[in-house]
Amino acid sequence: MSDATLRTASPARGPRLADTPWRRFVRRFRKHRFAVIGLLTLLVLGVLAVSAPLLTPYTYDEQDFSIIGQPQPPSRAHLMGTDELGRDGFTRVLYGARISLLVGLFSALIATGLGVLVGALSGYYRGHIDTLLMRFTDIMLSIPLLPLMILLSGMTRPGILLLVCIIGGLGWMGTARLVRSQFLSLREREYIEASRALGGSNNRIMFRHILPNAIGPIVVSTTLAVGSGIMLESALSFLGMGVQPPTPTWGNLLNSASQWLSGAPWLAIFPGLMILITVLAVNFLGDGLRDALDPRS
């Protein structure tokens, strides 16, 4: 058979792309439709929050004195109505997204960093270090989280930075237990023994060899912690213990709306919907990441 015949008989095939871990992750993640929707929702919310000054002609504390005293329903001029001080609801919800998303994201990063450090030390060294750190973690878990945050917030009247530190500093325990379990399992693997035999230092083994192999559960835990941070910030602000007016957050918008629930329900509906949508999107994203990062899927 001639070369021309062989070329005709064999279908033309382009170069195949290598099936890398990243491609497998993307393929698994795209199968989780709710996770994709959650990611797109969070991206849209982030863009809206950052672009707030460009999307509305008002500032968050600008007042219309012609309608002051009584909240106004949604209209073409005010898409989400106004509050009793004549401030535009849409503007305040967008600016509130900035604070709520910022607090949720950075408090989750702080909680994850502390949890990874405590869990890594506990799971790798075991013995007395493990006992000391895990008993301290158990003590922290036994304290009701929200009342403790209310107590600290009431004592300090925190700004945004301090509120982030309070939420992040009291939310690391679940991540610490998760990381500890991963380190206890991974430290016994053959490649860890080989690295130890070759003279690898403890820090190198912990953070160069073990931690990258435990990154999947850590990423999922961080994602879900963002939702928890947003909920805690909203709860504290609703109770008047978080970010103080006139700076808007979704929580203190709900607090301000509580006295107008019967006459102006839109003041509570819109920030409440934003909290609901954001937390659902974060949870969907976390579920998708968990499935995509699971090597058994």
Side-chain angles (χ1 to χ4, degrees):
M1 185 179 293
S2 66
D3 292 341
T5 306
L6 287 174
R7 285 194 298 269
T8 304
S10 301
R13 294 183 179 179
R16 295 186 62 183
L17 296 174
D19 190 20
T20 62
W22 170 252
R23 293 184 184 280
R24 289 195 295 270
F25 164 77
V26 172
R27 187 168 60 250
R28 292 170 186 158
F29 183 79
R30 290 175 61 183
K31 292 180 180 179
H32 202 297
R33 294 185 178 179
F34 285 109
V36 175
I37 293 173
L39 176 60
L40 294 176
T41 301
L42 292 174
L43 289 176
V44 170
L45 287 174
V47 171
L48 290 175
V50 172
S51 306
L54 304 176
L55 298 175
T56 174
Y58 310 102
T59 60
Y60 68 83
D61 57 352
E62 184 177 345
Q63 296 177 265
D64 185 348
F65 292 99
S66 64
I67 56 175
I68 199 170
Q70 181 67 31
Q72 299 298 310
S75 63
R76 182 175 298 179
H78 302 285
L79 297 178
M80 294 184 180
T82 66
D83 62 10
E84 71 279 8
L85 298 178
R87 297 175 296 190
D88 181 63
F90 178 67
T91 302
R92 291 180 63 77
V93 166
L94 284 186
Y95 277 89
R98 287 180 159 190
I99 305 300
S100 294
L101 294 176
L102 185 72
V103 170
L105 177 61
F106 283 97
S107 65
L109 293 177
I110 291 175
T112 299
L114 292 174
V116 167
L117 180 61
V118 173
L121 293 174
S122 180
Y124 183 80
Y125 288 108
R126 300 187 298 184
H128 294 300
I129 293 179
D130 181 29
T131 301
L132 178 64
L133 291 177
M134 284 300 101
R135 296 298 76 77
F136 177 69
T137 303
D138 291 338
I139 292 172
M140 294 298 297
L141 284 171
S142 68
I143 302 174
L145 185 59
L146 185 58
L148 178 59
M149 288 188 176
I150 292 174
L151 175 63
L152 292 176
S153 298
M155 293 171 59
T156 59
R157 290 294 176 179
I160 297 173
L161 179 59
L162 184 55
L163 185 62
V164 167
C165 293
I166 290 175
I167 295 176
L170 295 177
W172 53 268
M173 291 80 73
T175 302
R177 294 172 70 92
L178 175 65
V179 173
R180 173 182 177 270
S181 67
Q182 293 290 313
F183 268 65
L184 285 174
S185 172
L186 293 171
R187 76 184 303 277
E188 306 299 333
R189 300 290 176 88
E190 290 81 0
Y191 65 91
I192 300 301
E193 295 294 336
S195 178
R196 192 177 289 115
L198 291 172
S201 65
N202 288 330
N203 288 338
R204 180 180 177 84
I205 293 172
M206 289 170 60
F207 298 107
R208 182 71 181 270
H209 298 297
I210 299 181
L211 185 59
N213 288 283
I215 201 66
I218 294 172
V219 169
V220 176
S221 176
T222 303
T223 305
L224 298 177
V226 174
S228 299
I230 292 173
M231 291 292 292
L232 287 170
E233 182 279 323
S234 299
L236 290 173
S237 296
F238 177 77
L239 295 172
M241 301 293 180
V243 179
Q244 300 299 308
T247 302
T249 72
W250 291 337
N252 64 32
L253 289 178
L254 286 175
N255 184 11
S256 301
S258 60
Q259 57 183 319
W260 298 96
L261 290 178
S262 58
W266 59 87
L267 293 179
I269 289 175
F270 292 115
L273 276 177
M274 296 300 288
I275 295 172
L276 174 64
I277 291 171
T278 304
V279 174
L280 278 178
V282 168
N283 288 335
F284 286 149
L285 178 60
D287 288 341
L289 290 174
R290 180 190 59 203
D291 295 342
L293 291 169
D294 187 355
R296 295 168 295 180
S297 63

